Amino acid sequence: MKTMTGWPFLLFLPFCMDLQAIEDGNKAGARPDIVLILADDQTWSDSGCYGNSQVRTPNIDRLAAEGMRFTRAFTATAMCAPTRQQLYTGLFPVRNGAYPNHSKVKPGTRSIVHFLRKLGYRVGLSGKKHFGPPDSFPFENVPRAQLGKFIGRKKGEPYCLVVTSHSPHLPWTEGDASAYDPAAVKIPARFVDTPQTRASLVKYYAEITDFDRELGECLAAVKKFGREEDTIFIYTSEQGAQFPGGKWTCYDMGLHVALVVRWPRKIKAGSVANAMVQYVDVVPTLLEAVGGSAVEGLDGRSFLGVLRGEADEHHDAVFGVHTTRGIINGSPCYPVRSIRTATHKYIWNPKYTEPFRNVLIGGRDKGGYWNSWVELAKTDANARRIVEGYQRRPEIELYDLRSDPFEQKNLAGTVSLSGLEASLRGRLDAWMRQQGDKGIETELRVKAHKSVSGREGRVRKGQKKKAGGKKKSADFLRPS
């Protein structure tokens, strides 16, 4: 059941801060405070400043007007637990161990909490966790009603506060859906236009608007109780929404994320960055921004130069990894790997002969629209193309993102693009080797979810019983 997200405390929390402490905290040379707020399953483009004028997001839009908006920011996995743990550790999912959903990093893995505490920071988290083990993420727990108190505490001591919303994750129950007209919404290219789709979209948009309210209240808390002019304030959308082509995929609707950073006097207000960055870059960037030393062995690297306006480029390619095994109603084995440049996307589906499944299409119709797509697909060719294309994919997909941003026309096998295709595959293979990623073998290390039936799940259970091993306490078998 979704947690309610109202924060009435912001207007009524007593103002009892020591003025001398405020003055001391604002002295030149003090380390900046950090606030990072995450949505939960929000498609990157679904806000006003990112081009969706249908969605009311005045606070996100204001933040973008006061900071820098990234047009090419990415997560490496479009699922909650792997996304958050790569963001907090600076390590890609297979390498840190948290590559299935509902998973944990390898024991001994360090995170932003360890790195910033060494620099004198208090590091707190308020909201959804989705990580483990606790030793790797020893955040101070900050109840929602205590945000102002956490921000205003010990003014001479810098803080990092991570605020993680439950919106707009399913079920879409927060916000005012009546504020949106189902008949007026525009249907994205990957969607089938049915009354059920429109009804789901307005509920999803209402939750985004409600998340925007949360973000606005967080901004107000920083202004009232913190050092607004010396705070790095970051908003990001996590991965794509729970629609086909979004969450649980390596398409841009899944891996592309919104990222806005405000840092008064350091970042030019209203600026736009086209540099390609990934979530693993956030930890190194923040460490450099606050004057810390680089951490050896991280996958990410700092893009502080982009924030300062000193650089226009960062990565020339970003990578994606998806593990279907272990998710609710997921396919027994359906790994996906990808590489994306500024112009092209290459996707490898090793188990392309099998159908792709997840909780949306696994019989429960959790989003409230999938069954209507299937029904229309019986008589409508476009609906049939979308429904079948989501469940059954070719081994190789190649898209020219300049002319085909919604990844509708697969160019794999085009003779004139054979050199590009081979080059991208070579780079993807090299990245997988560096990560210790063996594709199907890596996928099969994951314990099948209890909701998944079928021969493959039963065989693996039998193999474990034969081996005489004890039942694992974790949700997956860790990579070696």
Side-chain angles (χ1 to χ4, degrees):
M1 191 168 180
K2 184 169 288 192
T3 303
M4 294 298 288
T5 54
W7 299 350
F9 70 93
L10 289 175
L11 296 178
F12 306 111
L13 187 66
F15 186 78
C16 55
M17 299 166 63
D18 182 80
L19 295 179
Q20 183 60 47
I22 296 174
E23 183 179 343
D24 292 343
N26 284 318
K27 285 180 180 177
R31 296 188 192 274
D33 296 328
I34 302 167
V35 175
L36 169 62
I37 182 167
L38 280 82
D40 193 0
D41 292 352
Q42 180 194 4
T43 298
W44 73 277
S45 56
D46 287 337
S47 62
C49 63
Y50 275 98
N52 191 339
S53 59
Q54 302 176 94
V55 189
R56 300 181 185 96
T57 53
N59 294 301
I60 295 174
D61 299 348
R62 174 166 65 90
L63 188 70
E66 296 172 352
M68 176 177 285
R69 177 173 60 87
F70 282 79
T71 64
R72 292 173 179 162
F74 299 86
T75 174
T77 304
M79 294 190 297
C80 296
T83 283
R84 290 161 192 260
Q85 292 176 99
Q86 67 186 273
L87 176 63
Y88 301 151
T89 65
L91 297 169
F92 284 120
V94 171
R95 189 157 170 251
N96 72 34
Y99 59 95
N101 209 9
H102 311 289
S103 60
K104 304 174 183 179
V105 297
K106 299 173 185 176
T109 301
R110 295 184 300 162
S111 70
I112 189 172
V113 187
H114 303 91
F115 305 141
L116 287 179
R117 278 184 177 174
K118 287 182 70 173
L119 298 173
Y121 276 77
R122 293 180 287 116
V123 187
L125 182 139
S126 180
K128 184 174 179 176
K129 294 183 172 64
H130 248 211
F131 52 65
D135 287 350
S136 289
F137 304 96
F139 288 98
E140 175 184 342
N141 182 54
V142 183
R144 284 295 163 94
Q146 301 280 320
L147 290 191
K149 183 177 179 180
F150 178 87
I151 290 171
R153 193 174 86 211
K154 296 183 182 177
K155 271 305 179 176
E157 181 182 64
Y159 71 85
C160 172
L161 175 62
V162 180
V163 180
T164 52
S165 177
H166 291 266
S167 296
H169 193 291
L170 278 170
W172 296 313
T173 55
E174 303 298 322
D176 180 12
S178 68
Y180 290 92
D181 179 6
V185 297
K186 297 177 183 177
I187 303 299
R190 284 188 172 276
F191 293 11
V192 177
D193 189 354
T194 67
Q196 292 85 348
T197 302
R198 292 177 174 275
S200 294
L201 269 175
V202 298
K203 289 188 287 185
Y204 162 64
Y205 287 166
E207 281 230 348
I208 295 175
T209 298
D210 196 60
F211 164 75
D212 183 81
R213 171 192 58 78
E214 294 182 52
L215 186 147
E217 291 176 344
C218 201
L219 285 169
V222 171
K223 184 173 184 177
K224 184 172 184 180
F225 303 109
R227 300 182 300 148
E228 184 179 38
E229 294 299 304
D230 293 294
T231 299
I232 302 172
F233 195 105
I234 304 170
Y235 147 71
T236 191
S237 59
E238 206 198 40
Q239 65 273 326
Q242 297 183 52
F243 288 104
K247 188 174 183 178
W248 302 294
T249 77
C250 282
Y251 298 114
D252 260 22
M253 183 179 155
L255 298 181
H256 199 164
V257 301
L259 179 65
V260 178
V261 185
R262 184 187 73 180
W263 190 5
R265 301 191 302 269
K266 302 289 186 179
I267 294 175
K268 182 180 178 182
S271 55
V272 177
N274 296 317
M276 296 181 71
V277 301
Q278 287 201 270
Y279 271 173
V280 292
D281 298 325
V282 171
V283 165
T285 301
L286 290 176
L287 291 179
E288 185 181 6
V290 303
S293 300
V295 176
E296 298 242 347
L298 298 185
D299 287 322
R301 59 186 178 88
S302 173
F303 55 84
L304 185 61
V306 177
L307 293 176
R308 288 174 169 165
E310 299 165 356
D312 296 324
E313 299 179 349
H314 194 56
H315 296 297
D316 64 350
V318 293
F319 297 92
V321 48
H322 175 72
T323 301
T324 304
R325 189 174 179 84
I327 67 174
I328 301 171
N329 294 121
S331 307
C333 179
Y334 202 98
V336 185
R337 305 292 186 263
S338 68
I339 178 173
R340 184 202 198 277
T341 67
T343 60
H344 289 83
K345 166 78 72 64
Y346 177 98
I347 300 175
W348 178 39
N349 302 302
K351 291 282 282 186
Y352 68 99
T353 55
E354 303 294 328
F356 173 80
R357 291 175 65 83
N358 60 22
V359 69
L360 290 181
I361 62 178
R364 296 169 61 186
D365 194 17
K366 192 173 180 182
Y369 56 83
W370 176 257
N371 288 343
S372 72
W373 293 20
V374 174
E375 186 63 29
L376 187 60
K378 295 176 181 177
T379 57
D380 183 273
N382 185 58
R384 184 164 57 252
R385 177 185 65 83
I386 292 173
V387 168
E388 292 181 354
Y390 185 54
Q391 298 176 90
R392 294 193 175 275
R393 307 171 194 174
E395 180 181 12
I396 306 299
E397 300 176 68
L398 178 66
Y399 301 101
D400 186 334
L401 301 172
R402 297 166 297 186
S403 59
D404 183 22
F406 299 107
E407 297 159 305
Q408 299 288 291
K409 185 177 181 181
N410 185 9
L411 301 175
T414 302
V415 175
S416 61
L417 298 175
S418 59
L420 172 65
E421 189 172 327
S423 173
L424 293 174
R425 179 55 184 266
R427 294 187 66 182
L428 179 59
D429 288 345
W431 178 73
M432 289 176 64
R433 285 193 298 272
Q434 184 268 334
Q435 291 289 305
D437 182 357
K438 298 182 180 180
I440 292 174
E441 181 181 334
T442 296
E443 176 106 354
L444 289 174
R445 290 174 180 151
V446 180
K447 182 180 178 180
H449 193 272
K450 62 184 179 181
S451 63
V452 178
S453 61
R455 182 176 179 275
E456 186 171 1
R458 292 195 298 271
V459 168
R460 285 188 59 79
K461 185 176 181 182
Q463 288 173 340
K464 286 174 68 177
K465 193 175 276 188
K466 275 185 183 179
K470 293 182 179 179
K471 185 177 180 182
K472 300 281 184 177
S473 59
D475 291 335
F476 66 102
L477 302 178
R478 297 194 184 283
S480 56

